[in-house]
């Protein structure tokens, strides 16, 4: 049947992955809890187009409580993107949410995948699992997360490894590096910078040292995920999905200024615990395993993301969002309604 279950499909990366799978002829069963991490209406807008496609089925439910076997039954692969994202807000009282959504949800999904003998599980891991280093991060580099978020993603990755080794679940873990592009989450740097520039507001930059990030375009990331669904690679494989070119954050700001045709006034704020100085992913293993190479350079990707921000401002706020669905959210989440 060529069916893939995509968890977190209403999110930033998940909506792109679902689109690419559909365009390649897959059927997509999608699940998302529309968590309140950011506006659920934004997530509904992300999937508005997808829901017109007869090969796309949306299930609004929560992986921490739902019965998962019916969701996993009959699929050719599970792409597990659902998670609580965000490094800087993962401290303190927020942590139980990270434990539930990133660790418990992953364990429940793996258990269901083991029971129904799912042919493949692709897990979205993160560069946040690595310890701080000025060297390129290899898959074998030291794992020493700087944030509770990173700890939770590493715990998920370890569970994936355990289910691969001991319960026979065929898995691939992909460590994403600073993904950007249209629909980027509102808490992420390029999104925040662009909105501030378009509004003529101050741009907040954290820390007194220049940070470097290996910004990777969402279209490239989606291609890697889709390649991982069928690639003939050993179970338990772990791969960096990175452009492989770290860029100083001020340089990104300059690119955005050119695109927006505005000048940023920068407010320097203190270092946020958990923010690493530099990310730089070595992507050679992904190229060897998946035949994958990132093809989108930063100026081109930034142009696309800015165009997306502008397009949102040019159309009515709620266009593409079904107000009935928003109104019915709490009950549909409880019931895990399929539509
Ligand atoms: N964006 C990045 O730069 C980046 C980098 C590294 C790793 N990742 C990982 O990639 C994945 C996707 O990230 P994103 O940026 O698209 O985030 P996102 O918040 O936009 O998407 C995650 C989606 O998961 C859903 N979700 C959360 N908990 C759920 C649960 N218990 N049950 C069902 N749905 C649930 C949310 O409602 C959301 O729509 C995450 O696993 C994240 O940790 C992202």
């Amino acid at each position: 049947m060529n069916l893939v279950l995509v968890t977190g499909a209403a999110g930033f990366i998940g909506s792109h992955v679902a689109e690419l799978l559909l365009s390649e002829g897959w059927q997509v069963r999608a699940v998302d809890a529309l968590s309140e991490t950011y506006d659920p209406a934004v997530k509904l807008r992300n999937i508005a187009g997808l829901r017109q496609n007869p090969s796309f089925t949306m299930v609004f439910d929560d992986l921490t409580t739902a019965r998962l076997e019916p969701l996993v039954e009959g699929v050719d692969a599970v792409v597990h993107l659902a998670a609580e994202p965000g490094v800087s807000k993962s401290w303190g009282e927020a942590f139980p949410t990270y434990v539930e959504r990133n660790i418990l949800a992953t364990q429940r999904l793996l258990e269901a995948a083991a029971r129904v003998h799912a042919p493949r599980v692709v897990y979205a891991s993160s560069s946040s699992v690595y310890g701080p280093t000025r060297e390129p991060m290899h898959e074998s580099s030291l794992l020493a997360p700087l944030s509770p978020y990173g700890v939770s993603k590493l715990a998920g990755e370890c569970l994936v490894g355990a289910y691969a080794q001991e319960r026979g679940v065929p898995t691939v873990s992909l460590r994403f590096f600073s993904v950007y592009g249209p629909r980027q989450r509102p808490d992420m740097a390029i999104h925040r910078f662009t909105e501030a520039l378009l509004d003529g507001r101050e741009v907040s930059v954290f820390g007194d040292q220049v940070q470097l990030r290996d910004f990777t375009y969402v279209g490239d990331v989606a291609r890697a995920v889709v390649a991982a669904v069928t690639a003939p690679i050993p179970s338990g494989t772990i791969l960096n999905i990175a452009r492989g070119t770290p860029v100083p954050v001020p340089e990104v700001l300059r690119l955005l200024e050119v695109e927006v045709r505005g000048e940023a006034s920068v407010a320097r704020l203190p270092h946020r615990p958990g923010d690493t100085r530099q990310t730089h992913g070595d992507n050679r293993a992904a190229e060897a395993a998946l035949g994958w190479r990132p093809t989108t350079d930063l100026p081109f990707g930034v142009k696309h993301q800015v165009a997306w921000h502008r397009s949102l401002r040019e159309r009515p706020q709620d266009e593409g969002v079904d107000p009935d669905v928003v109104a019915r959210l709490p009950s549909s989440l409880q019931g895990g309604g399929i539509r």
Side-chain angles (χ1 to χ4, degrees):
M1 172 148 111
N2 293 336
L3 174 65
V4 178
L5 173 70
V6 180
T7 75
F12 162 43
I13 300 172
S15 58
H16 286 275
V17 168
E19 266 173 22
L20 185 58
L21 284 165
L22 290 170
S23 77
E24 296 199 355
W26 292 89
Q27 306 264 327
V28 174
R29 183 182 291 161
V31 60
D32 201 294
L34 302 181
S35 68
E36 72 299 343
T37 310
Y38 58 94
D39 189 352
V42 169
K43 299 179 182 184
L44 288 168
R45 188 179 61 207
N46 289 344
I47 53 168
L50 288 165
R51 292 172 72 210
Q52 310 298 318
N53 190 318
S55 297
F56 181 83
T57 308
M58 187 70 223
V59 180
F60 292 108
D61 216 334
D62 189 327
L63 298 177
T64 63
T65 50
R67 279 189 59 232
L68 297 183
E69 278 177 42
L71 278 178
V72 178
E73 189 74 64
V75 301
D76 296 290
V78 176
V79 172
H80 180 36
L81 297 157
E84 181 67 14
V87 166
S88 58
K89 64 179 184 61
S90 62
W91 303 92
E93 288 177 9
F95 190 57
T97 305
Y98 287 77
V99 172
E100 280 179 20
R101 295 184 182 159
N102 298 358
I103 305 176
L104 178 62
T106 300
Q107 183 272 339
R108 294 188 85 239
L109 190 66
L110 287 163
E111 194 61 41
R115 292 216 184 110
V116 307
H117 305 290
R120 175 153 293 181
V121 174
V122 180
Y123 172 70
S125 188
S126 168
S127 61
S128 302
V129 300
Y130 289 113
T133 174
R134 299 283 177 93
E135 303 298 317
M137 292 151 163
H138 299 269
E139 286 77 0
S140 57
S141 295
L142 179 72
L143 300 176
L146 287 181
S147 66
Y149 164 75
V151 169
S152 71
K153 294 302 290 185
L154 181 55
E157 199 185 280
C158 292
L159 281 164
V160 167
Y163 275 82
Q165 178 81 17
E166 295 297 316
R167 298 285 299 282
V169 179
T171 69
V172 182
S173 290
L174 303 178
R175 294 177 180 157
F176 300 159
F177 282 66
S178 302
V179 188
Y180 75 101
R183 304 186 206 133
Q184 194 190 39
R185 294 194 329 260
D187 59 297
M188 299 187 73
I190 296 183
H191 186 121
R192 289 191 299 101
F193 293 169
T194 307
E195 284 297 313
L197 273 163
L198 287 170
D199 286 346
R201 283 184 284 112
E202 272 187 341
V203 170
S204 304
V205 176
F206 295 93
D208 46 16
Q209 287 186 314
V210 170
Q211 293 184 352
L212 291 93
R213 288 288 176 274
D214 198 344
F215 292 104
T216 309
Y217 189 66
V218 67
D220 287 332
V221 171
R223 277 195 300 106
V225 172
V226 173
V229 164
T230 52
I233 47 180
S235 179
T237 296
I238 298 174
L239 301 168
N240 287 338
I241 303 301
R243 176 155 173 77
T245 317
V247 175
V249 168
E251 196 175 313
V252 179
L253 204 43
R254 275 194 295 279
L255 283 173
L256 286 168
E257 286 177 329
V258 171
E259 259 329 297
V260 173
R261 291 183 288 280
E263 200 175 320
S265 131
V266 174
R268 292 221 78 95
L269 299 178
H271 166 77
R272 294 184 303 182
D275 273 351
T276 194
R277 169 89 197 284
Q278 165 173 334
T279 58
H280 178 186
D282 182 321
N283 58 23
R284 287 174 295 179
E287 181 172 1
L290 305 176
W292 174 82
R293 268 184 189 209
T295 56
T296 310
D297 66 19
L298 193 59
F300 189 82
V302 158
K303 190 187 263 299
H304 271 275
Q305 180 160 349
V306 171
W308 172 74
H309 285 268
R310 285 195 195 280
S311 75
L312 291 183
R313 288 166 180 247
E314 283 159 13
R315 65 186 197 196
Q317 270 298 304
D318 58 354
E319 191 182 308
V321 176
D322 179 349
D324 286 349
V325 175
V326 180
R328 278 188 278 123
L329 260 186
S331 55
S332 63
L333 278 179
Q334 280 159 25
I338 297 184
R339 43 182 81 81

